[in-house]
Amino acid sequence: MTDIDLLFSIGWGDVGNSPESRLGMSVLIADREGDKVQVRETSAITQATRLKAPLLMAYGASDVRVPYEHGRKLNEALKSHNKDVEYIEYAGEGHGWQLLKTNLDFWTRAERLLGRTIGK
């Protein structure tokens, strides 16, 4: 999750839109209004300008746990100041990689990133 407030406004995902789910979020995550400052200040999207390190962001296009909109928004926020961000969405994947081609692609990208950055 890159934008805690987005959890409250996004209309899909495994959190759900029922009143019971929304009430649980205010207890388990944050009170959207009462904790507004903390929610804003602790969200990765708010801290985007501080993220200077190389970053690999990978999302399953069918993920219902962490909707890809979180990644898309953070990627947009990073573009202006961090040129070493690689963003990928995998069609047909959910929260974890199931397809061999996805695993090969993702871990190849991860290995390449680590090869460039470890020890620097």
Side-chain angles (χ1 to χ4, degrees), residues 2-10 22 32 69-70 73:
T2 62
D3 183 349
I4 299 168
D5 192 57
L6 186 58
L7 287 172
F8 293 93
S9 59
I10 202 160
R22 295 296 171 196
R32 190 175 191 185
E69 192 62 27
H70 285 268
K73 288 181 73 171

Side-chain angles (χ1 to χ4, degrees), residues 72-91:
R72 286 182 178 176
K73 288 181 73 171
L74 182 59
N75 188 43
E76 283 300 314
L78 291 166
K79 280 183 178 180
S80 66
H81 69 279
N82 187 340
K83 301 301 181 199
D84 201 356
V85 175
E86 186 174 357
Y87 179 86
I88 183 82
E89 282 179 26
Y90 292 110

Side-chain angles (χ1 to χ4, degrees), residues 50-64:
R50 296 179 61 201
L51 299 173
K52 306 288 187 199
L55 185 60
L56 172 60
M57 298 172 55
Y59 287 81
S62 300
D63 192 340
V64 296

